[in-house]
Amino acid sequence: MLFSVSQRFFFDAAHTLRRAIDTESSLRIHGHTYHAEVVVTGARDGSTGMVIDLGLLRRELVAVREALDHHLLDEVPDLGTPTLENLCVYIAARLAHLQPPVSRVRVWREALGDACSLELTR
């Protein structure tokens, strides 16, 4: 049996974005509240009954959140262009060491209705 365990967090951040539509407003520094969900999929450990200790997952997410929260995303090392897609990749990369591995990362902006999901297969 495989189980999926998830944990959510949010962060507030600013960014700029070069794009073909809404160019003027996107080029100005502006901010959003972002929400993220990380999913870990695996079998239960026979001795603990857990896929992953949620305390461990929360601790790892605190570090990811601190790297993004109240920052200018344009300046976050290894993020690249601050798109929802790149935020998913960035979060997954920061958690690549987890066992079992992250199986899905979702980032969304509730106020705008935008969302992106990254499905990881290992």
Side-chain angles (χ1 to χ4, degrees):
M1 288 188 285
L2 290 178
F3 295 87
S4 292
V5 177
S6 66
Q7 183 66 49
R8 293 180 180 179
F9 67 100
F10 75 94
F11 59 96
D12 295 306
H15 72 109
T16 63
L17 191 61
R18 293 187 188 285
R19 56 193 284 199
I21 299 172
D22 298 329
T23 54
E24 188 176 320
S25 61
S26 294
L27 282 173
R28 285 192 306 267
I29 295 174
H30 61 283
H32 303 283
T33 297
Y34 294 87
H35 300 268
E37 180 177 43
V38 173
V39 179
V40 175
T41 301
R44 288 180 299 156
D45 179 278
S47 61
T48 66
M50 295 183 275
V51 173
I52 189 169
D53 186 319
L54 284 174
L56 169 67
L57 184 56
R58 281 189 204 99
R59 184 177 70 202
E60 296 294 326
L61 294 181
V62 165
V64 174
R65 183 177 189 273
E66 287 176 355
L68 299 170
D69 191 42
H70 286 84
H71 283 82
L72 179 60
L73 296 179
D74 303 57
E75 299 174 351
V76 172
D78 302 319
L79 176 59
T81 304
T83 61
L84 294 176
E85 295 87 346
N86 283 344
L87 283 165
C88 286
V89 170
Y90 176 84
I91 293 167
R94 292 282 308 254
L95 301 171
H97 62 282
L98 289 179
Q99 288 301 320
V102 171
S103 58
R104 182 173 189 249
V105 176
R106 181 172 180 251
V107 176
W108 69 98
R109 298 180 299 197
E110 190 73 31
L112 297 174
D114 301 334
C116 181
S117 294
L118 171 63
E119 303 291 333
L120 299 155
T121 55
R122 309 231 179 181

